[in-house]
Amino acid sequence: MPATLSAPSRPSERSAGSDFAPLARRVRESGLLDRRRGYYARAIGLNLAATAAVWGAVAWAGDAWWTVLLGIPLAVLSARAAFLGHDAGHRQIASSARANRWLGLLLGNLLLGMGHGWWSDKHNRHHANPNHVGKDPDVGEGVLAWTSEQAKGKRGVLRWVARHQAALFFPLLTLEGVNLKLGSLLFLRGRSRRDQVLEGGLLVVHAVAFLGLAFALLPVGQALALVAVQHAVFGVHLGAVFAPNHKGMAMPEPGERWGHLRRQVLTSRNVRGGVVTDWLMGGLNYQIEHHLFPGVPRCSLRRLRPLVREHCAAVGLPYTETGLVESYRLALGHMREVGEPLR
């Protein structure tokens, strides 16, 4: 069961807003908002070096079919780049917005092939109203249904998918790597010419470099297989990180307004674990802390956690935290419950 502190409470909007101020003051005075440039310099440098090393291993292995398995570490390293781009988007790395944007473009568009502008637009709307249907794009209409109303509105193949979505969730994630790249390209259609040239150009350079390396180093069959494995594992890895964070947590009713503390804490779930969990999940296992203070550097979230737990206990707000396996059980259970009326 989720680990919670105290019973749920329903403070007034005025109270909910004022409840956050003492915590914000304490965090600001603690220095946890300070930039950690050394940490991020090491993280980016190591990720680039490891990525180059894996491509070197691909070149060394040649046309052996086992080379295709190197798509797995390439996917894991791509997820690391995505987490670093995420941190740049929240201005955790550099002190200026301009520097963080360029880091996001280089890490996202160039290194990963995922548009920084597209992600920032989508992710910022999610942070502003997590789990709020009609405002949070992560619970909007799509292939999967997040509410019973969405499920009942599905037709044809999508209705069948919604009926079995809990079982199909992880298999569908194998397509997410491609979906992220397509979404990045489609987003540019409504952007300025400058953004189209800059972001689109970097996306093209990534595609040419990535596919060029694969087909230059491997025969066509192995190259295609390597690309497929990398994208499939990357999609599953990212989905496995983001799925436990909000699925199955509170969803505000239409028109319901919560203060910042209540809005971020009640809709988020932490995942317990040590340094391995922190690394695999890019610090997003501290989802409550990240949503309350998105500008706190990833490496400071572990130290922020006890402050937030203590404050939630003091104001009578549930703080939900589970193990990794339990978090998947709860998230998939919510998906199964949403699809139940269609079965």
Side-chain angles (χ1 to χ4, degrees), residues 12 33 35 54 63-65 86 98 109-110 125-126 137 141 169 181 188 257 266 269:
S12 68
L33 285 165
R35 298 293 181 269
V54 175
D63 60 1
W65 271 101
H86 165 272
R98 181 182 177 85
N109 294 58
L110 183 61
R125 286 186 285 132
H126 158 69
E141 293 285 352
F169 179 66
K181 293 185 175 182
L188 291 177
R257 296 176 62 85
L266 294 186
R269 176 191 299 115

Side-chain angles (χ1 to χ4, degrees), residues 76 79-80 82-83 86 169-170 173 233-247 269-271 276-287 324 327-328 331:
V76 173
R80 311 272 76 70
F83 297 145
H86 165 272
F169 179 66
F170 283 104
L173 286 179
V233 175
F234 172 67
V236 172
H237 187 2
L238 280 192
V241 168
F242 285 100
N245 297 338
H246 302 283
K247 304 302 181 271
R269 176 191 299 115
N270 274 15
V271 175
V276 175
T277 303
D278 291 359
W279 185 81
L280 284 173
M281 301 191 73
L284 295 177
N285 45 314
Y286 302 105
Q287 191 67 195
L324 185 60
S327 72
Y328 291 137

